[in-house]
Short mmCIF file of all heavy atoms in Angstrom, two decimals:
data_model
loop_
_atom_site.label_atom_id
_atom_site.label_comp_id
_atom_site.label_asym_id
_atom_site.label_seq_id
_atom_site.Cartn_x
_atom_site.Cartn_y
_atom_site.Cartn_z
N ALA E 459 40.87 209.53 296.38
CA ALA E 459 41.29 208.44 297.28
C ALA E 459 42.62 208.50 297.69
O ALA E 459 43.64 207.65 297.39
CB ALA E 459 40.91 207.10 296.62
N PRO E 460 43.07 209.44 298.51
CA PRO E 460 44.49 209.72 298.97
C PRO E 460 44.81 208.56 299.98
O PRO E 460 44.17 208.37 301.05
CB PRO E 460 44.51 211.05 299.66
CG PRO E 460 42.99 211.22 300.09
CD PRO E 460 42.21 210.47 299.08
N ALA E 461 45.82 207.89 299.71
CA ALA E 461 46.22 206.65 300.49
C ALA E 461 47.56 206.81 301.24
O ALA E 461 47.87 205.91 302.00
CB ALA E 461 46.43 205.41 299.61
N GLY E 462 48.12 208.00 301.33
CA GLY E 462 49.39 208.21 301.94
C GLY E 462 49.70 209.70 302.01
O GLY E 462 48.90 210.48 301.49
N LEU E 463 50.88 210.05 302.54
CA LEU E 463 51.22 211.46 302.62
C LEU E 463 52.72 211.56 302.92
O LEU E 463 53.20 210.68 303.84
CB LEU E 463 50.46 212.36 303.61
CG LEU E 463 50.71 213.69 303.69
CD1 LEU E 463 50.38 214.41 302.43
CD2 LEU E 463 49.92 214.27 304.91
N ALA E 464 53.50 212.40 302.25
CA ALA E 464 54.75 212.64 302.54
C ALA E 464 55.20 214.13 302.24
O ALA E 464 54.64 214.74 301.38
CB ALA E 464 55.77 211.72 301.70
N VAL E 465 56.10 214.66 303.16
CA VAL E 465 56.57 215.98 302.94
C VAL E 465 58.00 215.88 302.26
O VAL E 465 58.80 215.16 302.89
CB VAL E 465 56.58 216.83 304.21
CG1 VAL E 465 57.13 218.24 303.99
CG2 VAL E 465 55.28 216.81 304.91
N TYR E 466 58.08 216.36 301.17
CA TYR E 466 59.46 216.23 300.54
C TYR E 466 60.47 217.20 301.16
O TYR E 466 60.34 218.44 301.26
CB TYR E 466 59.37 216.51 299.02
CG TYR E 466 60.68 216.25 298.36
CD1 TYR E 466 60.99 214.92 298.11
CD2 TYR E 466 61.77 217.21 298.20
CE1 TYR E 466 62.25 214.51 297.59
CE2 TYR E 466 62.99 216.79 297.67
CZ TYR E 466 63.17 215.51 297.37
OH TYR E 466 64.59 215.09 296.78
N THR E 467 61.51 216.63 301.67
CA THR E 467 62.61 217.36 302.23
C THR E 467 64.03 216.95 301.75
O THR E 467 65.04 217.44 302.28
CB THR E 467 62.56 216.96 303.84
OG1 THR E 467 62.68 215.50 303.98
CG2 THR E 467 61.26 217.43 304.46
N GLY E 468 64.03 216.21 300.65
CA GLY E 468 65.31 215.75 300.13
C GLY E 468 66.07 216.91 299.35
O GLY E 468 65.60 217.99 299.11
N ALA E 469 67.26 216.49 298.88
CA ALA E 469 68.13 217.42 298.07
C ALA E 469 68.01 217.13 296.59
O ALA E 469 68.44 217.86 295.71
CB ALA E 469 69.52 217.26 298.56
N LEU E 470 67.54 215.86 296.11
CA LEU E 470 67.52 215.55 294.85
C LEU E 470 66.67 216.45 293.99
O LEU E 470 66.84 216.70 292.75
CB LEU E 470 67.21 214.03 294.63
CG LEU E 470 68.25 213.09 295.16
CD1 LEU E 470 67.85 211.64 294.77
CD2 LEU E 470 69.66 213.28 294.56
N PHE E 471 65.45 216.90 294.52
CA PHE E 471 64.52 217.63 293.83
C PHE E 471 64.38 218.92 294.64
O PHE E 471 63.42 219.20 295.30
CB PHE E 471 63.23 216.91 293.83
CG PHE E 471 63.17 215.63 292.96
CD1 PHE E 471 63.30 214.44 293.58
CD2 PHE E 471 63.01 215.62 291.61
CE1 PHE E 471 63.35 213.28 292.80
CE2 PHE E 471 62.98 214.56 290.76
CZ PHE E 471 63.19 213.25 291.48
N PRO E 472 65.30 219.92 294.48
CA PRO E 472 65.19 221.14 295.31
C PRO E 472 63.89 221.85 295.03
O PRO E 472 63.46 222.65 295.93
CB PRO E 472 66.49 221.84 294.87
CG PRO E 472 66.95 221.26 293.57
CD PRO E 472 66.49 219.88 293.60
N GLN E 473 63.38 221.78 293.81
CA GLN E 473 62.17 222.57 293.57
C GLN E 473 60.92 222.01 294.17
O GLN E 473 59.90 222.57 294.19
CB GLN E 473 61.96 222.54 291.98
CG GLN E 473 61.62 221.22 291.33
CD GLN E 473 62.74 220.39 291.00
OE1 GLN E 473 63.76 220.40 291.60
NE2 GLN E 473 62.61 219.53 290.09
N TRP E 474 61.10 220.72 294.69
CA TRP E 474 60.01 220.15 295.38
C TRP E 474 60.02 220.35 296.88
O TRP E 474 59.12 220.00 297.73
CB TRP E 474 59.99 218.61 295.30
CG TRP E 474 59.66 218.23 293.76
CD1 TRP E 474 59.42 218.92 292.72
CD2 TRP E 474 59.45 216.84 293.38
NE1 TRP E 474 59.24 218.23 291.56
CE2 TRP E 474 59.29 216.87 291.88
CE3 TRP E 474 59.59 215.57 293.87
CZ2 TRP E 474 59.07 215.71 291.17
CZ3 TRP E 474 59.42 214.45 293.14
CH2 TRP E 474 59.18 214.60 291.78
N ARG E 475 61.04 221.00 297.45
CA ARG E 475 61.23 220.98 298.96
C ARG E 475 59.99 221.69 299.60
O ARG E 475 59.56 222.81 299.11
CB ARG E 475 62.53 221.77 299.34
CG ARG E 475 62.69 221.86 300.81
CD ARG E 475 64.11 222.10 301.20
NE ARG E 475 64.15 222.05 302.64
CZ ARG E 475 64.31 221.04 303.37
NH1 ARG E 475 64.67 219.85 302.86
NH2 ARG E 475 64.40 221.07 304.62
N GLY E 476 59.46 221.00 300.55
CA GLY E 476 58.26 221.62 301.28
C GLY E 476 57.03 221.21 300.73
O GLY E 476 55.95 221.43 301.33
N ASP E 477 57.07 220.60 299.50
CA ASP E 477 55.78 220.15 298.92
C ASP E 477 55.30 218.80 299.56
O ASP E 477 55.98 218.14 300.13
CB ASP E 477 55.93 220.04 297.45
CG ASP E 477 56.35 221.38 296.66
OD1 ASP E 477 56.01 222.33 297.32
OD2 ASP E 477 56.77 221.22 295.46
N LEU E 478 53.95 218.57 299.22
CA LEU E 478 53.35 217.43 299.75
C LEU E 478 53.16 216.34 298.53
O LEU E 478 53.02 216.76 297.54
CB LEU E 478 52.03 217.59 300.36
CG LEU E 478 51.89 218.75 301.38
CD1 LEU E 478 50.41 218.87 301.88
CD2 LEU E 478 52.81 218.37 302.60
N LEU E 479 53.54 215.13 298.84
CA LEU E 479 53.26 213.98 297.92
C LEU E 479 52.14 213.15 298.40
O LEU E 479 52.24 212.70 299.57
CB LEU E 479 54.67 213.28 297.70
CG LEU E 479 55.78 214.08 297.19
CD1 LEU E 479 57.08 213.22 297.24
CD2 LEU E 479 55.60 214.63 295.91
N VAL E 480 51.16 212.92 297.52
CA VAL E 480 50.01 212.14 297.88
C VAL E 480 49.73 211.07 296.97
O VAL E 480 49.25 211.39 295.80
CB VAL E 480 48.85 213.15 298.00
CG1 VAL E 480 47.65 212.38 298.49
CG2 VAL E 480 49.02 214.30 298.87
N PRO E 481 49.74 209.76 297.27
CA PRO E 481 49.45 208.74 296.40
C PRO E 481 47.98 208.56 296.32
O PRO E 481 47.27 208.72 297.36
CB PRO E 481 50.13 207.52 297.02
CG PRO E 481 50.16 207.88 298.43
CD PRO E 481 50.38 209.29 298.59
N ALA E 482 47.50 208.42 295.03
CA ALA E 482 45.88 208.35 294.92
C ALA E 482 45.66 207.00 294.34
O ALA E 482 46.06 206.69 293.36
CB ALA E 482 45.53 209.60 294.07
#
Side-chain angles (χ1 to χ4, degrees):
L463 181 65
V465 180
Y466 187 79
T467 56
L470 292 186
F471 297 96
Q473 70 276 25
W474 292 5
R475 182 164 181 86
D477 294 344
L478 308 180
L479 301 174
V480 184

